[in-house]
């Protein structure tokens, strides 16, 4: 298939996108390690690998996602280059210092991507270069041999050490040409090459007392590196018997925690010669510094003792060679292998990498709380670690890569049950006895508003004597919210409801902070026998939660009362109050309300309202039970400015009692309109005198028809109410409370409280053709009267204290309405 440049560009873009999406997914799925190789001794900042590409990220995303290298307890050899997205060296790396003779030389660490708490393992192999010469410990060595030594006698020579490994390490030895000795190499179990001199021709001390040889050690690098050592072979006088060890190799295994100075083993060698030729001296042969610092060999007894503590984690075995030499320079050698046994002397460690200090109680299961790693310096079973947390917690541990663990939630948290957790992470190894350590992760559970306030009792009920003082406390309710802070701050309120058509807030109020219920008025048993309230408790959460409870207030009877009309009252100055109705009022517009109360109870206190007389029939209607005066139709230009209404209030006693009140309604949009219409009030009447007769004839006919229909409807209503009253008496002995309008008042002393609560607020402006009648909510602080005011009897007038009604008195004086 032939690919154009544009096709190749699209393919590269597609491959790049797949690498960004698929590679991180596969790496997180299989938790595979990223492997790189780098030569030792490279300059600082040398390129190691494109880590951003292998992580499926763009170079800039390394810094944006908080990628960083995490490793335990070692100097960091590598760093992330956030610009190029590559992994680079921090400084020159010496493989021999880092790994000694170990192969391969691997450096492992982890890369943490902070924003999603993902951990990726990285393994880098340090490749050896031939940068070390083979080196002998001494530049010159003396070797003694008896002149009667047989052909084939072998003399052990010091061996060379090469810090490099593999092909770059020591490969062979070369001996300078001579006729008496040849060179042979032996390979030990540890892979080291040991040179030996082999006697090829008998010696004659009298001819040659010393032989000078040159031993060369060569490695296999390119180029080959080498070093030399001078060997001086001293020919001794005859010593017939050489020492002999009881074993060619001594082995001993000791625990790493043995005390310093402990005798590990005793070497035994014998020599049948007598005198100085039979006296043996023991010494280490070709020991390195570690051997000489760790062990001591008694030259006379052949005992090996410890000079310092052993550490299995530092060195698991020690291989050494011991020589027994007699006075005649004959010697024997034996291998000694000291194996160090691991003991459980390292406590497991917990390293906290990342954690969340607080988590919301509505976090989903599986939310990561913390990321930590565990480590034990021991090996085998002593280094195997078990990690756990208490089972009764809503958390679990999930193992990640390289001994990393995630701490996750297993279910939804409930702050009201447990507000914080001190999670104990227990790590224990499998040693005998096992060692363990504990790490603590403190987690605070943040509150959410998930609990509504709760009332301890349900429902509430209480009693109060009628004629009670205004403002008296009736009952205290309390709700508890198990949340915290603003979510637990409870405020109380009464549900917006009405009793017999009047808001319950006219009767009682509740302190929003304490939940104390107050009576705003003096109750009358003949008017109100009980009140059914709903108290709502709301918290300040977002969104707020609430609950409500039913509260029943029973009024206990004390005495009887007689009914009376409260509003409108008859003014003492001879004027008549005026109600204002705008010309733009729609049918059903509330003009005013006739308020009457009957202090009796039961059927005698049932009140109904009727419109007996109106200057403009059909223009207004009165609510039968509410006493609200509303427009029955839209106002017309021909409707007179001043309208007079006679409203009758009648109870249902036997015989029925009634009272009437005359209302004056001014039709105008504002006070200036009222004043302007006063001057032209007579003129329209004169201009329409010619049509008055026709209107009267039509009105008489209409009234006759309406009257007949009214009589029929009235009879039907009477029968229906009589039947309903019989049913109510049979069911409960009569109604528990007064009717809609009557239930808002309590005696003569309650008039002032009602008028302040139900007063109309009228706004009349000179530049507007609309009037606004506002029914404000009651202000409980203002309407609670003192105990002294309860004993005063005031006339039922629109008080001068009601600022909104000043305008009606002023309008009545100007119009002279009676």
């Amino acid at each position: 298939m032939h690919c154009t440049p544009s096709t190749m560009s699209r393919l590269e873009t597609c491959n790049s996108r797949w690498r960004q999406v698929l590679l991180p997914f596969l790496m997180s799925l299989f938790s595979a390690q990223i492997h790189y190789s780098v030569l030792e001794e490279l300059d600082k900042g040398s390129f190691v690998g494109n880590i951003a590409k292998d992580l499926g990220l763009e170079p800039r995303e390394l810094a944006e996602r908080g990628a960083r290298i995490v490793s335990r307890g070692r100097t960091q050899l590598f760093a992330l280059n956030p610009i190029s997205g590559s992994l680079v060296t921090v400084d020159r790396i010496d493989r021999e210092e880092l790994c000694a003779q170990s192969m391969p030389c691997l450096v492992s660490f982890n890369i943490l991507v902070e924003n999603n708490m993902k951990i990726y393992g990285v393994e880098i192999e340090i490749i050896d270069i031939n940068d070390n010469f083979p080196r002998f410990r001494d530049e010159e060595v003396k070797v003694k041999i008896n002149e009667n030594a047989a052909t084939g006698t072998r003399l052990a020579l010091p061996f060379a050490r090469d810090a490099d490994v593999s092909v770059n390490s020591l490969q062979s030895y070369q001996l300078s040409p001579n006729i008496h000795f040849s060179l042979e190499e032996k390979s030990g179990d540890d892979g080291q090459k040991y040179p030996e001199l082999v006697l090829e021709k008998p010696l004659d001390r009298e001819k040659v007392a010393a032989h000078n040889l040159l031993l060369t050690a060569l490695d296999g690098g390119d180029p080959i590196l080498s070093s030399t050592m001078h060997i001086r072979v001293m020919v001794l006088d005859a010593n017939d018997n050489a020492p002999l060890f009881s074993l060619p190799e001594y082995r001993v295994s000791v625990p790493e925690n043995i005390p310093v100075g402990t005798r590990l083993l005793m070497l035994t060698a014998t020599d049948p010669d007598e005198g100085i030729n039979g006296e043996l001296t023991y010494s280490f042969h070709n020991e390195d510094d570690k051997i000489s610092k760790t062990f001591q060999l008694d030259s006379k007894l052949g005992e090996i003792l410890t000079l310092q503590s052993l550490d299995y984690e530092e060195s698991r075995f020690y291989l050494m060679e011991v020589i027994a030499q007699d006075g005649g320079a004959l010697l024997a050698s034996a291998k000694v292998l000291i194996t160090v046994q691991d003991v459980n002397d390292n406590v497991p460690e917990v390293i906290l990498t990342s954690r969340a200090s607080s988590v919301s109680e509505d976090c989903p299961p599986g939310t990561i709380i913390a990321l930590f790693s565990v480590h034990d310096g021991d090996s085998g079973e002593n280094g195997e670690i078990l990690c756990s947390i208490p089972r009764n917690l809503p958390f679990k541990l999930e193992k990640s890569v390289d001994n990393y663990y995630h701490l996750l939630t297993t279910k939804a948290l409930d702050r009201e049950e447990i507000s914080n957790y001190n999670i104990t992470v227990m790590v224990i190894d499998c040693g005998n006895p096992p060692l363990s350590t504990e790490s603590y992760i403190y987690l605070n559970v943040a509150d959410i508003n998930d609990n509504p306030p709760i009332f301890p009792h349900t429902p509430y009920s209480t009693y109060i004597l009628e004629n009670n003082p205004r403002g008296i406390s009736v009952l205290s309710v309390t709700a508890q919210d198990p949340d915290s802070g603003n979510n637990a701050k409870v405020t109380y309120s009464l549900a917006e409801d009405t009793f017999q058509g009047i808001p319950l807030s006219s009767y009682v109020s509740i302190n929003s902070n304490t939940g104390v219920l107050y009576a705003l008025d003096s109750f009358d048993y003949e008017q109100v026998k009980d009140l059914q309230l709903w108290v709502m408790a709301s918290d300040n959460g977002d969104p707020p939660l609430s609950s409500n409870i039913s509260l029943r207030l029973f009024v206990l009877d004390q005495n009887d009362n007689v009914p009376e009309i409260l509003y409108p009252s008859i003014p003492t100055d001879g004027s008549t109050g005026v109600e204002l109705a705008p010309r733009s009022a729609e049918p059903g517009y509330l003009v005013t309300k006739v308020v009457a109360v009957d202090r009796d109870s039961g059927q005698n206190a049932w009140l109904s309202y009727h419109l007996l007389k109106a200057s403009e029939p059909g223009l207004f209607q009165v609510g039968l039970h509410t006493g609200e005066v509303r427009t029955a139709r839209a106002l017309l230009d021909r409707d007179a400015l001043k309208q007079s209404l006679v409203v009758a209030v009648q109870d249902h006693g036997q015989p029925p009692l009634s009272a009437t009140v005359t209302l004056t309604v001014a039709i105008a949009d504002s006070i200036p309109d009222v004043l302007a219409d006063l001057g032209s009030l007579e003129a329209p009447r004169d201009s329409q005198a010619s049509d008055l007769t026709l209107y009267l004839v039509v009105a008489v006919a209409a009234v006759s028809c309406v009257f007949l229909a009214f009589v029929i409807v009235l009879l039907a209503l009477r029968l229906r109410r009589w039947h309903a009253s019989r049913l109510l008496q049979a069911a409960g002995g009569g109604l528990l409370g007064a009717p809609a309008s009557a239930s808002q008042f309590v005696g003569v002393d309650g008039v002032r409280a009602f008028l302040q609560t139900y007063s109309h607020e009228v706004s009349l402006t000179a530049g507007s053709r609309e009037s606004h009648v506002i029914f404000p909510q009651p202000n409980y602080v203002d309407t609670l009267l003192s105990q002294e005011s309860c004993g005063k009897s005031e006339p039922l007038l629109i008080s001068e204290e009601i600022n909104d009604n000043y305008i009606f008195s002023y309008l009545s004086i100007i119009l002279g309405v009676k």
Side-chain angles (χ1 to χ4, degrees):
M1 177 180 177
H2 179 69
C3 295
T4 63
S6 60
T7 304
M8 293 297 293
S9 177
R10 286 195 297 270
L11 288 175
E12 292 175 357
T13 303
C14 181
N15 291 334
S16 175
R17 291 177 179 175
W18 273 107
R19 284 195 302 271
Q20 294 176 4
V21 175
L22 188 58
L23 185 59
F25 172 77
L26 292 176
M27 292 181 66
S28 64
L29 185 62
F30 298 104
S31 299
Q33 282 194 329
I34 302 172
H35 185 85
Y36 299 112
S37 298
V38 62
L39 294 175
E40 67 171 333
E41 300 296 337
L42 290 179
D43 293 334
K44 176 181 179 181
S46 297
F47 174 83
V48 177
N50 191 343
I51 191 66
K53 176 181 177 182
D54 293 335
L55 291 178
L57 304 174
E58 294 295 333
R60 58 181 175 78
E61 289 182 293
L62 289 178
E64 291 175 356
R65 299 196 178 188
R68 60 186 174 92
I69 294 176
V70 291
S71 60
R72 185 190 63 81
R74 65 169 59 179
T75 303
Q76 188 53 249
L77 303 176
F78 304 94
L80 296 175
N81 188 328
I83 298 176
S84 63
S86 58
L87 189 68
V88 299
T89 59
V90 173
D91 206 342
R92 285 181 176 270
I93 301 175
D94 187 354
R95 192 206 64 80
E96 288 73 30
E97 179 181 352
L98 189 64
C99 299
Q101 297 296 310
S102 299
M103 286 187 63
C105 182
L106 300 175
V107 176
S108 298
F109 56 89
N110 299 288
I111 293 181
L112 172 65
V113 180
E114 189 71 31
N115 70 333
N116 58 4
M117 290 191 185
K118 291 291 186 180
I119 195 83
Y120 301 92
V122 179
E123 184 181 75
I124 300 178
E125 180 180 3
I126 310 301
I127 300 175
D128 182 58
I129 63 173
N130 193 23
D131 58 339
N132 291 280
F133 288 83
R135 297 186 184 277
F136 292 95
R137 179 176 178 179
D138 302 310
E139 294 182 356
E140 183 175 357
V141 65
K142 291 183 179 179
V143 179
K144 297 178 181 179
I145 188 172
N146 202 293
E147 66 176 341
N148 62 354
T151 303
T153 300
R154 297 175 179 270
L155 299 177
L157 298 177
F159 58 87
R161 298 179 185 272
D162 194 333
D164 294 324
V165 295
S166 188
V167 69
N168 295 324
S169 64
L170 176 67
Q171 298 296 316
S172 62
Y173 296 93
Q174 290 182 357
L175 185 66
S176 58
N178 66 90
I179 60 175
H180 290 281
F181 299 95
S182 64
L183 182 67
E184 286 189 7
E185 297 177 3
K186 292 177 63 177
S187 295
D189 296 336
D190 55 353
Q192 178 67 43
K193 297 182 181 297
Y194 299 92
E196 290 183 347
L197 280 178
V198 180
L199 183 61
E200 298 290 343
K201 186 177 180 180
L203 300 174
D204 187 354
R205 179 183 170 279
E206 286 68 25
K207 292 183 178 179
V208 180
H211 297 268
N212 294 311
L213 307 174
L214 185 64
L215 181 64
T216 303
L218 302 97
D219 64 20
D222 186 14
I224 296 175
L225 300 180
S226 63
S227 62
T228 58
M229 179 181 66
H230 293 277
I231 302 174
R232 184 174 180 84
V233 181
M234 307 296 296
V235 181
L236 302 179
D237 200 15
N239 183 16
D240 298 331
N241 297 285
L244 180 65
F245 280 99
S246 59
L247 294 174
E249 183 175 290
Y250 292 84
R251 295 176 179 266
V252 64
S253 181
V254 295
E256 63 176 331
N257 60 348
I258 60 173
V260 175
T262 300
R263 187 180 72 174
L264 302 182
L265 76 161
M266 177 179 288
L267 303 176
T268 304
T270 58
D271 191 337
D273 293 333
E274 294 182 351
I276 193 172
N277 292 328
E279 295 179 1
L280 301 180
T281 302
Y282 300 91
S283 63
F284 288 122
H285 182 60
N286 285 328
E287 80 276 14
D288 56 20
D289 294 336
K290 182 185 294 185
I291 297 295
S292 60
K293 291 179 180 179
T294 307
F295 302 98
Q296 177 184 358
L297 176 61
D298 189 311
S299 60
K300 298 298 184 182
L301 301 177
E303 291 181 344
I304 298 179
L305 302 92
T306 57
L307 289 176
Q308 63 181 15
S309 299
L310 304 180
D311 190 353
Y312 174 86
E313 287 71 36
E314 183 180 43
S315 181
R316 301 184 179 185
F317 62 90
Y318 297 89
L319 180 63
M320 59 197 78
E321 184 178 15
V322 176
I323 292 177
Q325 186 172 10
D326 60 16
L330 294 181
L331 54 85
S333 64
K335 299 288 184 180
V336 176
L337 177 62
I338 299 176
T339 302
V340 181
Q341 298 174 350
D342 183 43
V343 296
N344 196 21
D345 60 343
N346 288 283
V347 177
E349 300 177 69
V350 177
I351 303 170
L352 190 61
T353 305
S354 180
R355 74 178 181 94
S357 60
S358 178
V359 64
S360 178
E361 64 177 326
D362 62 345
C363 67
T367 300
I368 297 177
I369 302 301
L371 173 67
F372 62 90
S373 62
V374 295
H375 174 74
D376 193 324
D378 295 319
S379 62
E381 290 186 352
N382 296 330
E384 294 180 6
I385 301 175
L386 300 177
C387 186
S388 64
I389 60 175
R391 294 184 178 181
N392 59 342
L393 297 179
F395 305 98
K396 68 175 181 179
L397 293 176
E398 185 175 273
K399 189 170 183 181
S400 183
V401 297
D402 196 16
N403 286 333
Y404 275 86
Y405 287 86
H406 282 118
L407 179 64
L408 308 95
T409 60
T410 58
K411 64 179 182 180
L413 305 178
D414 188 356
R415 190 210 65 83
E416 287 68 39
E417 183 179 348
I418 301 177
S419 60
N420 56 70
Y421 293 88
N422 195 7
I423 307 168
T424 302
V425 178
M426 169 74 75
V427 288
I428 185 170
D429 60 26
C430 299
N432 187 19
L435 299 179
S436 64
T437 186
E438 293 180 353
S439 182
Y440 302 93
I441 299 176
Y442 182 84
L443 179 66
N444 183 55
V445 181
D447 183 54
I448 63 171
N449 194 24
D450 59 344
N451 291 281
I454 300 174
F455 289 93
H457 305 292
T458 177
Y460 282 86
S461 63
T462 188
Y463 300 87
I464 186 172
L465 289 174
E466 67 174 343
N467 301 322
N468 57 281
R470 298 186 182 109
I472 189 172
S473 62
V474 179
L475 180 68
S476 176
V477 296
T478 304
Q480 303 293 333
D481 194 317
D483 292 321
S484 65
N486 283 335
N487 296 332
K489 187 176 181 181
V490 180
T491 57
Y492 303 90
S493 63
L494 293 175
E496 295 183 1
D497 200 355
T498 58
F499 180 75
Q500 298 175 348
I502 300 174
L504 290 177
S505 56
S506 300
Y507 295 94
V508 291
S509 68
I510 192 168
N511 188 305
S512 61
N513 294 321
T514 63
V516 177
L517 191 71
Y518 295 95
L520 296 181
D521 212 339
S522 180
F523 288 99
D524 189 348
Y525 178 77
E526 283 71 25
Q527 295 176 354
V528 180
K529 287 186 173 60
D530 67 339
L531 287 178
Q532 185 75 32
L533 309 174
W534 284 96
V535 178
M536 179 178 294
S538 302
D539 58 28
N540 287 357
D542 184 18
L545 299 178
S546 63
S547 62
N548 52 40
I549 192 173
S550 174
L551 188 152
R552 195 162 191 179
L553 177 62
F554 294 96
V555 180
L556 302 180
D557 185 44
Q558 279 187 320
N559 63 355
D560 297 327
N561 295 284
V562 295
E564 59 183 314
I565 297 176
L566 298 180
Y567 181 83
S569 61
I570 302 175
T572 58
D573 58 357
S575 63
T576 301
V578 178
E579 303 292 341
L580 187 64
R583 288 189 177 275
S584 60
E586 297 292 332
Y589 176 83
L590 177 62
V591 177
T592 186
K593 183 174 182 177
V594 177
V595 181
V597 295
D598 194 319
R599 299 181 184 182
D600 292 325
S601 62
Q603 184 173 344
N604 294 330
W606 295 359
L607 301 181
S608 59
Y609 301 83
H610 308 278
L611 181 61
L612 294 183
K613 183 180 178 181
S615 58
E616 187 70 38
L619 179 56
F620 298 97
Q621 63 182 8
V622 178
L624 181 61
H625 298 293
T626 64
E628 294 177 344
V629 180
R630 297 180 179 270
T631 57
R633 61 172 175 80
L635 299 176
L636 305 176
D637 293 335
R638 61 180 175 78
D639 293 329
L641 169 64
K642 184 176 74 172
Q643 298 288 334
S644 180
L645 307 175
V646 178
V647 179
V649 182
Q650 183 177 358
D651 63 22
H652 291 71
Q654 293 298 330
L657 301 177
S658 63
T660 61
V661 64
T662 301
L663 303 175
T664 300
V665 180
I667 300 176
D669 290 329
S670 62
I671 291 178
D673 292 343
V674 175
L675 299 177
D677 291 342
L678 286 175
S680 59
L681 188 60
E682 296 298 330
R685 292 180 180 177
D686 295 338
S687 63
Q688 297 177 0
S690 59
D691 298 330
L692 182 57
T693 303
L694 177 61
Y695 292 155
L696 290 176
V697 173
V698 175
V700 170
V703 168
S704 299
C705 296
V706 172
F707 179 76
L708 180 59
F710 176 78
V711 171
I712 296 173
V713 173
L714 182 60
L715 290 175
L717 291 176
R718 293 282 187 176
L719 290 174
R720 181 181 178 184
R721 291 174 181 171
W722 175 82
H723 181 67
S725 65
R726 293 296 299 273
L727 291 177
L728 290 174
Q729 290 175 357
L735 294 178
L736 297 177
S741 300
S743 62
Q744 301 183 31
F745 304 93
V746 183
V748 176
D749 295 335
V751 174
R752 182 185 182 91
F754 168 78
L755 292 178
Q756 290 176 343
T757 303
Y758 196 75
S759 61
H760 302 287
E761 180 180 336
V762 181
S763 175
L764 302 178
T765 60
S768 172
R769 293 187 59 84
E770 295 183 359
S771 299
H772 303 281
V773 181
I774 303 173
F775 296 88
Q777 294 293 328
N779 188 327
Y780 298 139
V781 178
D782 296 338
T783 59
L784 291 176
L785 302 180
S786 65
Q787 183 68 31
E788 292 79 1
S789 66
C790 295
K792 297 179 181 180
S793 176
E794 298 179 357
L796 304 181
L797 297 176
I798 302 177
S799 175
E800 291 181 357
E801 294 176 357
I802 307 176
N803 297 330
D804 295 337
N805 291 329
Y806 284 163
I807 190 168
F808 292 104
S809 299
Y810 179 76
L811 183 58
S812 299
I813 296 172
I814 294 175
L815 298 177
V817 179
K818 301 296 182 180

